[in-house]
Amino acid sequence: MPTDTTASSTGQQAAGTSGRKKGRKGRLVVLVLVLALIGGVAYGAYWSVSTVRASFPQTEGSITLEGLSGPVDVRRDGYGIPQIYASSDEDLFMAQGYVQAQDRFYEMDVRRHMTSGRLSEMFGAGQVDNDAFLRTLGWDRVAKQEYEEKLSPATKKYLQAYAKGVNAYLEGKDGKDISLEYAALGFENDYAPGEWTPVDSVAWLKAMAWDLRGNMQDEIDRALLTSRLGPKQIADLYPSYPYARNKPIVQEGGYDEGSGTFEAEGGSGDGEGEGDGSGSGDGTGSGEGAGSELGGGTEGGTGSGAEGDAAGFESQLTGLQRVLEDLPTAVGVNGDGIGSNSWVVSGEHTVSGQPLLANDPHLSASLPSVWYQMGLHCRSVSDKCRYDVTGYTFAGMPGVIIGHNQDIAWGLTNSGVDVTDLYLEKITGDGYQYGDKVVPFETREETIKVAGGSSRKIVIRETNNGPLLSDRSDDLVKTGKKAAVESAAPDRGDGYAVALRWTALDPGRTMDAVFAINRAKDWDDFREASELFEVPSQNLVYADTEGHIGYTLPGRIPTRAEKHDGSVPAPGWDPDYEWTGWVDQDELPYEFDPERGYIVTANQAVVDEDYPYTLTTDWGYGARSQRINDLIQSKIKDGGKISTDDMRQMQLDNSSSIAKLLVPELLKIDVGDEHVREAQKLLEGWDYTQDADSAAAAYFNSVWRNILKLSFGHKLPKELRVKGQCLWVEPVNTTGPADEAGKVRECGQRSASQAQPDGGDRWFEVVRRLMADEDSEWWSTPKRGTRPGAENRDELFKRAMIDARWELTAKLGKDIDSWNWGRLHRLFLDNQTLGSDGPGFVKYVLNRGPWKLGGGEATVNATGWNAAGGYGVVWVPSMRMVVNLDDLDKSRWINLTGASGHAYNAHYVDQTDKWAEGELLEWAYSEKAVEDATTDHLVLKP
């Protein structure tokens, strides 16, 4: 029988959290856990049954919470998804905090300690480097500033109520009563979760902004490429956006120079752009920009940097890349193919006559999912209680991030707008050069507490451009001259350093935007609320029950001087490379009820080339967005109508645009070898869809991977290639023994999930533009053993087909009848802490998978993989939803995992099979629909 439990909102300040670090060897916690588990089968059985069940939440009966002003109903459906009903805003958000803590507190605890740089307090010395880097970014400090200086009184009240609810859940509980992971960690130390604070909620927005930070990785890569490639070669690898082939988001209206505003109708833009889709472009910026001062970079630069300076800069960026790779997976994976899909169709094109809105954000796979589904309902919407909203949020944050209320629906995709710049700084003693002066650093000393060890002190230095990221690794020191340093190294030293300028390091109001959007009633409300959504800059699509659709680009977007376009790291000592201001909100692009009747956002260019501001030089290249455009147009031609299920089917589209380009050419090649010819025949009649059971998809993707490796991968510098993959290459600023041909052995240095060429739609465009140049130098590759070399395109394609045949023979067997894409393209869901670094038994308890998936890189069903590193899934549609504005109860949704973060709870991964099959769940919204779907009913009493 359910019990009545009393809780209050007291507790101690949090002392630690959890996280993971890729590649770290076993930690003390898991060693102790292994010893404990092997101590006896009976004890292991007790640990696995009693302890696992101890943290499962109470979902029926009643619980008394100190601080509520009235009763709150928590109704859960058969998937454990909660819908909360209250009579005041404070009660609603307090209950949200309590319920999320019931399901996901360990995840919340992990996140808040990651954002504050306190992973070492739980996991020991192995996390010190991560903590030092995250402290240098200072997310927690900025979040405190936001809370104290920027957020509205109402938002603070909601954050406080949410924190009160979390702490009410924690009151009187030991770690083992909260989550299985705490029981495991308890073998090592006496760590106990502490009190939740409003700042803990705000800080998670910084982690999400980091994951969606724009082109910082491209800045690093372009600079590193200069060690082995010339300006023209780098330009080949970063082609301009193909406006004529892949439409931007905003196609109607444009920037009006007379008024200095963006107009949804009229303006100087025509939505078509001037590109012809075939030229090489340079995509790397132009003029006498940053690259020239740094000893390389853009074509046409004047080049004043010394060779030694360039080498030192490469060392800095290589070290920075290593630090980024070691950050916990929860912070995110960046790549050319990662992104999101969202689109909205007006009622003139739908079966119901009202809009439909779809969204599926692409993020790193995580267990539990980064998203948490729930509904927040005021029993009666009034000034006292203003919310009736449902959708996806983050565990640890009040409100709803993506979803709908009673009047509007909205979705998000990453805009890709460039809001980060790396600056190279000239360091002299305790200061840095700015203009003709040496300016002292702003410094702060912080102490990192280490579980089971001594605390570490770090010194964080900042320039006018931001914190010095290069202080956070021994690799990030000047390879030339260095000043004598003592125990504070690498926080002291002469030479170049790398600073980060990023909008998220300035206090903002994005948390205000969440609540304002949640209660918006129409387009004007939505636009006004969106202006507060400063970081990360997102594409927001909109629909309402009155039949309107829209799109807006909010965000705090910097403007730069003419010589600096943000594409490569800039010289921090030159004032001409500073940010000059911000794009005014009235100047940012939007659309409202466009004549075509639909809007598609999938990380493509936002506007055409006539727009006066450079939002970024690194848009996604539009493979997914144009496919969605084409699918919509194919459905609505001749008056056809789109249904909710049509939207779902579009989300599952597996069609490969690069296969459509390459397969006709691959089929023309005379491969000779009967075994290779056998594989080639798989491509005959293939419809280019990448279903999990497709042998043709398996073979084509292997051919594509080998084309990239042979034509580009073997020509890239070691800093971009996969760690451990070694080549004999012409020496360029390298040392080491050479072979008889004068070549040196260089081994890759980048993790397999982040190496290049990753095979995203940038690489689609690179190859597309080289297809007509059959004798391009990129198509050459040397002979290897018995496998032929190549001097032109078709010879290289032939070699790739041979290599792919034997690669799949090794991986899948000689019999091609047994091949299928899903056997290569698998998803594993790993718990982000012990499930990644723990011993086998713990991984078995916490992890799930694999799932054999269809989809692929830069397809609408974007189950991303990195072609440089292998075929495994590295990012996914983290959720999918379709909102039906005619009848909100006919909307559909799905999550990657489940509502619960508790291993072996019925709702741990109960949505994953359906997600993998492309199914969507019913999404109850009205009170009657929620009541009909309820399987568990909990009452929270004051």
Side-chain angles (χ1 to χ4, degrees):
M1 173 176 287
T3 58
D4 187 285
T5 305
T6 300
S8 63
S9 57
T10 60
Q12 301 299 316
Q13 179 62 36
T17 186
S18 175
R20 62 172 273 192
K21 182 156 184 170
K22 301 179 201 172
R24 296 286 178 186
K25 300 290 185 180
R27 300 185 176 92
L28 177 60
V29 56
V30 296
L31 294 176
V32 174
L33 181 55
V34 169
L35 294 174
L37 291 175
I38 65 177
V41 174
Y43 182 79
Y46 170 80
W47 188 86
S48 64
V49 176
S50 175
T51 306
V52 165
R53 292 178 176 173
S55 59
F56 287 5
Q58 179 182 337
T59 59
E60 294 183 302
S62 64
I63 298 174
T64 299
L65 298 187
E66 182 180 319
L68 286 176
S69 63
V72 176
D73 293 293
V74 182
R75 296 182 175 275
R76 293 178 183 259
D77 66 10
Y79 288 88
I81 299 169
Q83 304 281 343
I84 300 175
Y85 290 84
S87 298
S88 73
D89 290 339
E90 291 91 334
D91 284 356
L92 189 66
F93 294 117
M94 181 178 175
Q96 183 182 16
Y98 186 88
V99 171
Q100 285 192 340
Q102 281 187 305
D103 286 335
R104 300 276 195 98
F105 183 77
Y106 178 74
E107 175 193 5
M108 294 162 59
D109 205 12
V110 167
R111 288 177 173 179
R112 55 129 167 220
H113 284 81
M114 182 183 70
T115 57
S116 58
R118 293 161 54 205
L119 299 171
S120 301
E121 294 180 10
M122 183 175 281
F123 287 109
Q127 291 295 326
V128 167
D129 289 345
N130 277 340
D131 284 346
F133 184 80
L134 294 167
R135 298 264 186 119
T136 299
L137 289 174
W139 293 344
D140 189 57
R141 294 175 64 249
V142 179
K144 288 177 182 175
Q145 287 181 273
E146 288 185 359
Y147 181 75
E148 293 170 359
E149 303 170 11
K150 292 287 187 178
L151 299 183
S152 71
T155 295
K156 291 181 180 179
K157 181 173 65 176
Y158 301 154
L159 288 165
Q160 291 162 3
Y162 180 90
K164 186 189 297 184
V166 175
N167 294 327
Y169 169 75
L170 295 176
E171 176 66 20
K173 290 183 174 64
D174 293 329
K176 69 179 186 304
D177 300 321
I178 297 172
S179 189
L180 172 63
E181 290 90 338
Y182 291 122
L185 291 168
F187 286 109
E188 184 202 10
N189 57 47
D190 58 357
Y191 169 82
E195 186 176 74
W196 190 265
T197 73
V199 172
D200 293 332
S201 295
V202 178
W204 183 243
L205 288 172
K206 302 302 174 185
M208 292 309 299
W210 178 260
D211 195 17
L212 304 171
R213 62 192 178 274
N215 74 336
M216 179 173 152
Q217 187 64 61
D218 289 308
E219 284 191 50
I220 294 172
D221 288 356
R222 269 191 290 262
L224 291 173
L225 286 170
T226 60
S227 70
R228 187 160 289 281
L229 303 179
K232 173 60 171 65
Q233 293 172 308
I234 296 173
D236 285 345
L237 303 186
Y238 288 89
S240 57
Y241 186 85
Y243 284 99
R245 188 176 66 255
N246 297 340
K247 300 297 184 185
I249 296 171
V250 176
Q251 300 176 36
E252 300 174 23
Y255 186 82
D256 189 291
E257 294 183 358
S259 65
T261 62
F262 198 93
E263 303 294 339
E265 296 180 1
S268 59
D270 61 8
E272 294 297 329
E274 300 176 0
D276 63 4
S278 59
S280 64
D282 66 21
T284 60
S286 58
E288 299 176 3
S292 62
E293 289 210 38
L294 304 182
T298 60
E299 190 168 10
T302 57
S304 62
E307 183 174 322
D309 291 342
F313 186 41
E314 290 161 21
S315 175
Q316 299 283 9
L317 291 178
T318 300
L320 174 56
Q321 175 62 36
R322 291 172 184 165
V323 173
L324 296 178
E325 287 179 359
D326 279 342
L327 288 177
T329 297
V331 176
V333 174
N334 286 101
D336 289 330
I338 197 167
S340 301
N341 302 321
S342 188
W343 67 95
V344 60
V345 181
S346 72
E348 67 177 298
H349 298 312
T350 67
V351 172
S352 71
Q354 289 285 8
L356 294 169
L357 185 150
N359 197 187
D360 56 288
H362 308 156
L363 297 169
S364 305
S366 60
L367 180 61
S369 167
V370 69
W371 297 108
Y372 184 92
Q373 299 154 283
M374 71 187 318
L376 301 171
H377 308 279
C378 290
R379 294 190 179 97
S380 177
V381 177
S382 65
D383 290 341
K384 180 182 178 182
C385 196
R386 299 192 287 173
Y387 297 89
D388 189 9
V389 62
T390 181
Y392 297 84
T393 187
F394 304 127
M397 274 185 57
V400 168
I401 305 298
I402 296 173
H404 72 80
N405 61 25
Q406 67 272 36
D407 298 306
I408 75 165
W410 69 96
L412 305 180
T413 64
N414 192 23
S415 70
V417 168
D418 185 2
V419 295
T420 60
D421 278 341
L422 295 173
Y423 283 90
L424 184 63
E425 306 284 4
K426 285 186 175 179
I427 305 303
T428 302
D430 290 332
Y432 60 95
Q433 184 176 331
Y434 181 68
D436 57 359
K437 298 180 179 179
V438 175
V439 181
F441 294 110
E442 290 188 15
T443 63
R444 65 181 187 273
E445 184 177 270
E446 297 201 10
T447 300
I448 298 173
K449 297 180 180 179
V450 181
S454 301
S455 297
R456 310 286 180 86
K457 291 185 182 296
I458 63 168
V459 175
I460 296 166
R461 304 187 293 179
E462 293 194 13
T463 72
N464 61 313
N465 292 313
L468 289 185
L469 303 188
S470 50
D471 280 351
R472 298 284 68 90
S473 169
D474 290 336
D475 294 319
L476 303 183
V477 294
K478 180 72 169 63
T479 55
K481 295 183 297 181
K482 292 184 292 184
V485 295
E486 299 180 355
S487 59
D491 294 317
R492 297 288 184 268
D494 286 348
Y496 283 0
V498 180
L500 172 67
R501 182 79 169 97
W502 179 30
T503 55
L505 299 185
D506 299 325
R509 300 171 296 170
T510 301
M511 199 73 238
D512 281 343
V514 171
F515 297 110
I517 291 173
N518 283 189
R519 60 178 182 264
K521 294 182 178 300
D522 55 29
W523 172 248
D524 290 339
D525 284 353
F526 182 74
R527 281 269 287 169
E528 184 177 352
S530 298
E531 289 184 9
L532 302 171
F533 208 110
E534 295 175 335
V535 181
S537 177
Q538 297 287 286
N539 297 312
L540 272 65
V541 293
Y542 167 94
D544 65 35
T545 56
E546 296 297 317
H548 300 293
I549 66 171
Y551 160 83
T552 190
L553 174 70
R556 198 159 188 248
I557 300 171
T559 57
R560 299 171 175 87
E562 183 177 352
K563 65 168 61 177
H564 179 35
D565 65 3
S567 64
V568 293
W573 54 86
D574 188 340
D576 288 342
Y577 287 84
E578 284 189 317
W579 290 358
T580 57
W582 313 99
V583 181
D584 189 81
Q585 290 294 315
D586 290 339
E587 299 176 291
L588 290 173
Y590 74 98
E591 278 192 330
F592 183 65
D593 287 340
E595 185 176 348
R596 66 187 179 278
Y598 62 89
I599 302 169
V600 175
T601 83
N603 317 111
Q604 78 271 39
V606 170
V607 286
D608 64 29
E609 295 170 293
D610 292 330
Y611 188 68
Y613 297 106
T614 300
L615 297 177
T616 184
T617 59
D618 294 295
W619 301 116
Y621 282 79
R624 283 180 289 109
S625 63
Q626 193 55 45
R627 176 61 178 172
I628 297 168
N629 271 285
D630 292 344
L631 290 169
I632 293 172
Q633 289 175 354
S634 70
K635 290 293 295 186
I636 66 177
K637 69 180 180 180
D638 302 324
K641 302 295 184 181
I642 294 175
S643 69
T644 300
D645 195 60
D646 289 332
M647 300 284 274
R648 179 188 70 87
Q649 293 286 355
M650 291 178 194
Q651 290 178 323
L652 304 178
D653 183 80
N654 288 330
S655 180
S656 169
S657 63
I658 192 63
K660 293 176 184 177
L661 175 71
L662 294 183
V663 166
E665 302 302 323
L666 296 175
L667 290 174
K668 295 176 185 177
I669 295 172
D670 183 4
V671 293
D673 185 297
E674 63 177 316
H675 298 291
V676 181
R677 172 61 183 149
E678 183 183 30
Q680 185 187 36
K681 285 183 177 181
L682 292 172
L683 304 179
E684 295 178 357
W686 180 43
D687 63 359
Y688 313 122
T689 60
Q690 301 171 97
D691 296 331
D693 60 359
S694 171
Y699 182 58
F700 171 76
N701 282 316
S702 182
V703 173
W704 170 236
R705 179 176 185 242
N706 281 281
I707 287 174
L708 292 171
K709 184 190 304 183
L710 295 169
S711 53
F712 307 106
H714 290 172
K715 301 177 179 71
L716 299 180
K718 61 183 181 296
E719 292 87 357
L720 275 72
R721 298 200 313 268
V722 175
K723 191 177 299 181
Q725 292 184 1
C726 303
L727 300 170
W728 288 92
V729 298
E730 298 289 342
V732 179
N733 294 329
T734 58
T735 58
D739 66 3
E740 293 180 358
K743 294 186 177 182
V744 297
R745 189 170 184 264
E746 283 188 352
C747 298
Q749 298 180 349
R750 188 167 291 188
S751 69
S753 66
Q754 298 185 42
Q756 293 292 341
D758 65 13
D761 66 355
R762 172 165 67 89
W763 293 99
F764 288 15
E765 194 64 21
V766 169
V767 170
R768 183 184 299 275
R769 297 190 184 197
L770 289 172
M771 288 293 287
D773 187 0
E774 298 183 24
D775 296 316
S776 167
E777 62 181 345
W778 291 109
W779 300 128
S780 64
T781 193
K783 178 181 179 181
R784 175 176 161 232
T786 60
R787 298 184 188 177
E791 296 296 332
N792 59 49
R793 186 195 71 187
D794 287 352
E795 288 179 358
L796 186 136
F797 283 6
K798 179 178 179 178
R799 165 70 180 274
M801 293 171 75
I802 295 170
D803 288 359
R805 175 40 160 133
W806 299 116
E807 179 187 11
L808 294 196
T809 297
K811 292 180 181 294
L812 302 180
K814 186 176 181 180
D815 181 6
I816 65 172
D817 290 336
S818 68
W819 292 2
N820 66 64
W821 178 224
R823 289 180 61 195
L824 293 171
H825 193 53
R826 299 188 298 168
L827 170 67
F828 292 85
L829 292 176
D830 292 346
N831 176 281
Q832 294 174 20
T833 54
L834 297 179
S836 299
D837 292 320
F841 174 82
V842 175
K843 290 181 179 180
Y844 176 81
V845 169
L846 297 177
N847 298 343
R848 299 293 182 269
W851 284 267
K852 298 177 181 179
L853 300 184
E857 192 70 17
T859 62
V860 181
N861 185 19
T863 54
W865 55 287
N866 186 303
Y871 302 99
V873 177
V874 294
W875 52 75
V876 295
S878 54
M879 62 80 158
R880 298 187 184 101
M881 75 175 195
V882 179
V883 181
N884 185 326
L885 276 298
D886 177 61
D887 183 346
L888 293 168
D889 287 329
K890 293 182 179 178
S891 302
R892 299 291 181 264
W893 62 353
I894 196 78
N895 204 353
L896 173 63
T897 60
S900 179
H902 300 288
Y904 293 106
N905 183 279
H907 307 304
Y908 190 48
V909 288
D910 58 338
Q911 297 185 51
T912 308
D913 286 344
K914 292 183 179 296
W915 172 91
E917 293 297 322
E919 298 179 35
L920 298 177
L921 305 177
E922 292 186 357
W923 184 357
Y925 174 69
S926 69
E927 188 170 3
K928 182 180 185 306
V930 170
E931 186 173 348
D932 289 345
T934 297
T935 59
D936 294 328
H937 181 199
L938 175 69
V939 178
L940 303 178
K941 303 191 304 184

